[in-house]
C-alpha cells in the first residue's frame, strides 16, 4: 500500500488470471456471479483509502463483456492493455473482469486485481465461488476474514503490548530511505 500511495498510477502490483471455460456462458449471468462473489470477500469489496468503506458492487467490480465471439489470439492480444491499467484502490474497481466469448465455443474470463486484494489461492477460491453462484448454488461468506482476524488480534494482545509499539523510540528508524 505504501508503494501504491507513492505511485497511484503504478501497475507493478497488478496481478491477473485467465480462466478458459469449455462452454458458451451467459455473460450477464456470469457478470452477476462475479459481482456477488466479490461482495463476499472484504479485500475485493472494501476500499483501501484513508477511510476504508464498503464499495457498491458496481464500484468494486468493473465488468467488460465482449459483444461478439473472437478468436483466442485476439483475446490474448487484449490481455496486456487490460492488465496494465492502474487500479484505483480508494474508489475501485478493485476487481476488473473481462468476459469474452470465443469463436471455438469457449468463454475466456480475465481477472485483474491489485496484489493487496488477491493472491494465487484467492483467485482459485474466487473462481470456485463464481462457478457456484453462476450455477445457482448459495455461497456463504468466508468464516474467517480480515476484520475477524484483526478483532482476534486486538483481543489477543494486552494493552501493554500495544503500548510498546505506540510509544517505542523511533530514533533508530531512518526518516528517509
Amino acid at each position: 500500500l505504501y508503494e501504491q500511495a507513492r505511485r497511484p498510477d503504478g501497475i507493478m502490483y497488478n496481478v491477473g488470471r485467465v480462466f478458459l471455460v469449455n462452454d458458451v456462458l451467459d455473460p450477464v449471468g456470469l457478470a452477476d456471479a462475479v459481482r456477488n462473489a466479490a461482495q463476499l470477500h472484504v479485500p475485493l469489496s472494501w476500499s483501501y483509502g484513508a477511510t476504508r468503506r464498503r464499495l457498491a458492487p458496481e464500484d468494486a467490480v468493473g465488468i467488460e463483456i465482449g459483444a461478439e465471439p473472437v478468436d483466442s489470439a485476439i483475446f490474448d492480444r487484449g490481455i496486456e492493455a487490460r492488465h496494465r491499467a492502474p487500479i484505483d484502490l480508494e474508489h475501485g474497481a478493485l476487481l476488473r473482469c473481462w468476459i469474452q466469448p470465443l469463436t471455438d465455443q469457449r468463454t475466456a474470463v480475465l481477472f485483474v486485481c491489485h496484489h493487496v486484494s488477491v493472491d494465487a489461492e484467492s483467485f482459485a477460491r474466487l473462481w470456485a465461488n463464481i462457478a457456484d453462484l453462476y450455477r445457482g448454488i448459495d455461497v456463504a461468506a468466508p468464516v474467517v476474514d480480515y476484520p475477524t482476524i484483526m478483532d482476534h488480534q486486538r483481543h489477543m494482545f494486552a494493552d501493554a503490548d500495544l503500548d510498546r509499539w505506540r510509544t517505542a523510540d523511533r530514533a533508530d528508524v531512518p526518516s528517509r530511505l
Side-chain angles (χ1 to χ4, degrees):
L1 287 174
Y2 172 77
E3 288 295 325
Q4 188 69 26
R6 288 182 57 223
R7 291 184 268 160
D9 291 335
I11 59 167
M12 67 188 287
Y13 292 108
N14 286 11
V15 292
R17 173 78 53 95
V18 173
F19 292 90
L20 292 173
V21 180
N22 291 322
D23 201 357
V24 176
L25 301 178
D26 166 28
V28 174
L30 184 59
D32 287 343
V34 170
R35 282 189 201 93
N36 291 331
Q39 290 297 303
L40 297 172
H41 299 275
V42 171
L44 296 174
S45 59
W46 283 73
S47 72
Y48 289 89
T51 304
R52 291 203 69 191
R53 61 187 169 76
R54 186 172 189 85
L55 298 171
E58 61 275 6
D59 294 330
V61 179
I63 303 281
E64 177 185 355
I65 299 174
E68 297 293 325
V70 299
D71 184 76
S72 61
I74 293 172
F75 175 79
D76 291 345
R77 287 193 295 271
I79 291 173
E80 184 175 353
R82 287 165 177 86
H83 186 75
R84 291 187 173 271
I87 295 171
D88 184 341
L89 293 175
E90 187 164 354
H91 302 101
L94 301 177
L95 169 64
R96 292 195 305 252
C97 175
W98 177 25
I99 302 167
Q100 181 60 60
L102 302 176
T103 54
D104 62 4
Q105 302 301 304
R106 294 184 301 164
T107 302
V109 182
L110 169 68
F111 293 123
V112 178
C113 300
H114 190 280
H115 186 53
V116 74
S117 296
V118 71
D119 60 17
E121 178 60 26
S122 300
F123 271 128
R125 183 165 303 228
L126 176 66
W127 184 251
N129 289 163
I130 292 166
D132 284 346
L133 289 167
Y134 181 77
R135 292 185 198 110
I137 300 169
D138 287 335
V139 176
V143 175
V144 178
D145 59 9
Y146 182 75
T148 304
I149 291 168
M150 295 311 302
D151 188 53
H152 171 73
Q153 288 182 343
R154 273 193 290 282
H155 289 89
M156 190 173 81
F157 293 111
D159 286 340
D161 295 328
L162 297 176
D163 287 344
R164 183 220 181 281
W165 292 105
R166 292 183 189 121
T167 61
D169 181 10
R170 306 255 189 253
D172 60 335
V173 178
S175 60
R176 293 186 323 197
L177 298 177

